Amino acid sequence: MHTFYKGAPDVVVLPTSAAETAAVVRLCRQARVPVVPRGSGTGLIGGAMAPRGGVMVAMTRMNRILEVDLPNRCATVEPGLINLWLSDATRAHGYFFAPDPSSQMVSSIGGNASTNAGGPHCLKYGITVNHVLGLQMATGAGELVWVGGKAHDRPGYDLPGVMVGAEGTFGVVTAVMVRLFHVPEGVKTLLASFSSIEDASETVSAIIADGIIPAALEMLDEAMVRAIEEGIHAGYPKGASAVLLIELDGPRAEIEAQARRIEEICRAHLALELRVSQNDAERALLWKGRKEAAGVIGRLTPNWLLQDAVVPRSRLPEIMREMLAISARHRLVFANVFHAGDGNLHPIICYDDRVPGELERAKQANEALMHACLAMGGSVTGEHGVGLDKAEKLPYQFAAADLNFMARLRRVFDPDTLMNPGKLLPDHPACAEGFRPAAALPGGSWV
Ligand SMILES: Cc1cc2nc3c(=O)[nH]c(=O)nc-3n(C[C@H](O)[C@H](O)[C@H](O)COP(=O)(O)OP(=O)(O)OC[C@H]3O[C@@H](n4cnc5c(N)ncnc54)[C@H](O)[C@@H]3O)c2cc1C
C-alpha cells in the first residue's frame, strides 16, 4: 500500500465487551460521528485508518477465547484474539485454525474475518470465509446481532458469508465462531529453485494440473530471496531467478507419493536445485524466511508500493511475463513474494521518493499491472481487501449497477454510512454530508 495515507482519529476507544462496543456505535450514530473499527492494524489497504477523524474502536482488549468445542470442531473467540494464539491453544488437543495470513503472529481474527484474509495454507484449506461459522456484530444501526452458528445447514440468507470481508463498513465484529481442523499426520516442505520466473510459474500450473493441491505453494523472486538471506538467513539459494516453497500435509504415505511426483514435475521444468526439509527445525526456518519477508524489504528500497491484484491461476506464467515487461518499461525493480498457488500477486514496487518522478512511475506501473490482471480475467484486489487503497479502483471491475447494489446492501447494516466511511466502496460526494467530528459527542460521554 502507499505509505502516504495519513489521518488520525479524534478519539480512540478500547471496549472490553460486545455490549460496550454496541453502546459506542449507538452514541456515535446519535451524534453522526464516523466509526473506524481496528484490529491489530496490520492491514495493507488503509482500512483501519481514520482520514476523516471520528472514533476509532480498537479491539485489542477483547482478545479472549470464549469457547473451544472440540466435539463440534469449532471455537468462539473475541475479535482481538491474535490468529496464532488460537492454534497455540488447541494444538495440544490435535487441532489448529487453518487461515494463516503471513501476519498471523500479530493480526487479529476479527481483522482476518473483516478482510476475509488469505494466507499460504489457504490454497488447500480455503480462505477465512470458509472457516467462519458465525459471528456477532454491533451493526452501524446500533443493534447487537448473532448470525450463523454451529449447525452446518442454516435457514435463510447466508449472513456470515455477507458479513465476512465487509471491512468494518457494516459494523464492528464482536465475536467470531470458527472451524478447527485436525493437525495433519505428516508435513513435508520442499524448496525448488529455477533460473527463470517463467519456469517456476509453469511448474506451479503443472503441479495443480497434475491433481495435487499442496497445503501451500509460495513463490519468491531473486530480489526477495537476496533480501531475506541478508536479513534472516533462512537458507534460500541465492542467485536463482525464482524459488518455490511447496508444502504438503496429510497422511504420511500420501505426502511421500506426492513429494516424489512434485520432484519429477520440478525436474521436468528445469529446477536448478531441489531440497526437502529433513526435520521441524529446517521446515520452521524455511517458513521463517517467507513469513518475515515484509520485515526485510527495507534492505531493497527506501519506499515501496505493494500491489495485491489477482489472476486466475492458469494465467500465472503470462502475468509474470507481463510484470517483467511493465517493470522494464517503467524502469523500476519489482520484488515478489506471493501465494502463487492462488494466483495472488504481491509485487513490491520499489521506488525512492527522493528521486524526482520515481513515485509517479511507481504509480503508473501499479496501474498498468492492475489493468493487465483485469484483462486476464482477474481482480483489482485479492486477499488484502479494498480499503481506502482500492475503493476508487472498483469501477474498473464493476458496473455502476453492481456498485449501487453493494451500497444498498451496506445501508441495511449501516443506514447512515457512518461505519468506516470512504473504505471498500467508491465515495459518493453525498456520503460525507452530515459527518461531524468527535467533538460533537455529548460532553462527558461514558459507556
Ligand atoms: C507482514 C504482513 C503479512 C501479511 N500477510 C497477509 C496474508 O498472507 N494474507 C492476507 O490476507 N493478509 C496479509 N496481510 C494483511 C493483514 O495482516 C490482514 O489484512 C489482516 O487480516 C488484518 O488484520 P488486523 O487485525 O491487523 O486488522 P486491521 O488492519 O486492524 O483492520 C483491517 C480491516 O478490518 C477492519 N476490522 C478490523 N477489526 C474489525 C472488527 N472487529 N470489526 C469490524 N471490522 C474490523 C478494519 O476496519 C479494516 O478495514 C499481511 C500484513 C503484513 C503486515
Side-chain angles (χ1 to χ4, degrees), residues 37-44 47-48 59 79 101-103 107-108 110-112 114-115 117-120 167-168 171-173 294 339 383-384 420:
R38 187 173 172 103
S40 300
T42 66
L44 297 166
M59 305 313 283
S102 303
S103 57
S107 65
S108 71
N112 299 162
S114 299
T115 54
E167 298 183 26
V172 187
V173 174
H339 315 312
E383 60 184 2
H384 292 168
N420 220 358

Side-chain angles (χ1 to χ4, degrees), residues 255-304:
I255 61 176
E256 289 302 333
Q258 289 182 337
R260 280 194 297 275
R261 182 68 194 124
I262 285 177
E263 286 187 32
E264 283 168 18
I265 294 171
C266 289
R267 287 193 205 289
H269 287 87
L270 311 176
L272 297 171
E273 186 187 344
L274 263 170
R275 214 190 293 161
V276 182
S277 64
Q278 297 302 318
N279 50 46
D280 281 351
E282 275 186 31
R283 203 186 131 240
L285 190 59
L286 289 179
W287 278 109
K288 186 174 159 63
R290 165 64 186 91
K291 294 218 166 180
E292 293 182 14
V296 297
I297 296 170
R299 290 179 178 270
L300 291 173
T301 175
N303 306 92
W304 48 285

Side-chain angles (χ1 to χ4, degrees), residues 166-178:
E167 298 183 26
T169 60
F170 287 177
V172 187
V173 174
T174 48
V176 196
M177 182 186 286
V178 293

